[in-house]
Amino acid sequence: MRRGVVITAILLVAGVAGYWLKSRSGIDLIESFSLQPYLPSFFRVSLPVIHGGPGALIEETFEDSHASNRWLRLWAKRKGTVTRGYESGGADGSRCLTITNAGPDHWAYTYRGWIEAAEGDAFRLEGMAKVMGNDEASAAIGIVLHDQEKRVLEWHYAQGRVKATARWERVEREFVVPSGVAYLTFRVTGRGAGQTKLDGLRLMKLPPMSG
């Protein structure tokens, strides 16, 4: 019996250590569910809090060599089918992000930061996207809504989607934060086999609406 207790303890410690490493890397095995809001703060993903405005809170052109440090690890529903890279030939001829998906499933790439928000705050997201692939391929720029405990309230808020047209298209959405929201996260997502190029991503907090 003692041996069984020792083995259980070892497995428990290994599991906790593995989950700690996973959390620090910003990995969720299942996109639509995470245990993090239900765990002690030590095990949660450590992200900076972004606040301020009016003005640009996030501006990403992928020009510098540290661009990947500003984003969480690329999430893919099917491991090993999605890769990230950079290349020239962005929307204005500059460096851009590329996400290549070899399968039909979903992927997500999230900016590293909790964006403080309150009911009634107005924001605008924008960016350039170019999708090349089959008829099912598409990509989107959008927002995830979180409550005060950073639990997800809505995965696909204010989302602008681009289908496979093999040309650069501009995505622009203005939105107002609904009640119960304390934080936002900014991300790009996609699905379907093909390649997505992204450039000039921005999230701006707008001045308070008068009246």
Side-chain angles (χ1 to χ4, degrees):
M1 182 175 179
R2 180 176 296 178
R3 182 181 178 186
V5 171
V6 171
I7 292 174
T8 300
I10 291 172
L11 292 174
L12 181 61
V13 170
V16 169
Y19 195 88
W20 181 82
L21 290 171
K22 181 198 83 69
S23 296
R24 292 303 175 189
S25 299
I27 304 169
D28 278 324
L29 299 179
I30 303 174
E31 184 197 19
S32 59
F33 178 76
S34 175
L35 290 174
Q36 292 190 48
Y38 308 100
L39 296 175
S41 60
F42 178 76
F43 293 106
R44 298 179 189 174
V45 176
S46 179
L47 301 181
V49 174
I50 301 171
H51 54 84
L57 301 182
I58 295 173
E59 287 191 277
E60 182 61 86
T61 61
F62 304 104
E63 284 293 332
D64 63 90
S65 60
H66 302 291
S68 63
N69 296 335
R70 295 189 290 271
W71 295 77
L72 296 178
R73 185 172 296 185
L74 177 65
W75 177 89
K77 185 175 182 180
R78 184 172 300 182
K79 185 178 179 181
T81 61
V82 184
T83 57
R84 184 207 68 209
Y86 303 95
E87 64 179 50
S88 59
D92 57 359
S94 59
R95 190 172 185 249
C96 66
L97 170 71
T98 63
I99 306 289
T100 303
N101 189 2
D105 295 313
H106 299 263
W107 55 264
Y109 198 39
T110 303
Y111 195 84
R112 185 181 290 273
W114 301 109
I115 301 148
E116 282 189 336
E119 180 181 357
D121 286 349
F123 291 85
R124 181 170 70 243
L125 65 81
E126 55 189 49
M128 300 295 293
K130 181 179 181 180
V131 181
M132 298 165 287
N134 61 28
D135 292 341
E136 302 300 319
S138 67
I141 303 170
I143 296 293
V144 181
L145 303 179
H146 305 263
D147 65 11
Q148 188 65 48
E149 300 301 319
K150 300 182 174 68
R151 292 183 291 249
V152 173
L153 300 174
E154 171 61 53
W155 284 100
H156 306 287
Y157 193 72
Q159 188 178 79
R161 182 168 294 278
V162 173
K163 295 183 178 180
T165 60
R167 65 174 181 270
W168 284 101
E169 295 194 27
R170 184 174 185 80
V171 173
E172 193 171 57
R173 292 286 188 277
E174 290 191 5
F175 62 93
V176 176
V177 175
S179 63
V181 174
Y183 297 97
L184 316 173
T185 46
F186 178 80
R187 69 178 189 164
V188 293
T189 59
R191 64 185 180 216
Q195 185 182 69
T196 296
K197 295 184 179 183
L198 295 146
D199 200 3
L201 302 180
R202 179 183 294 183
L203 179 67
M204 298 185 66
K205 187 173 184 180
L206 303 177
M209 291 181 286
S210 59

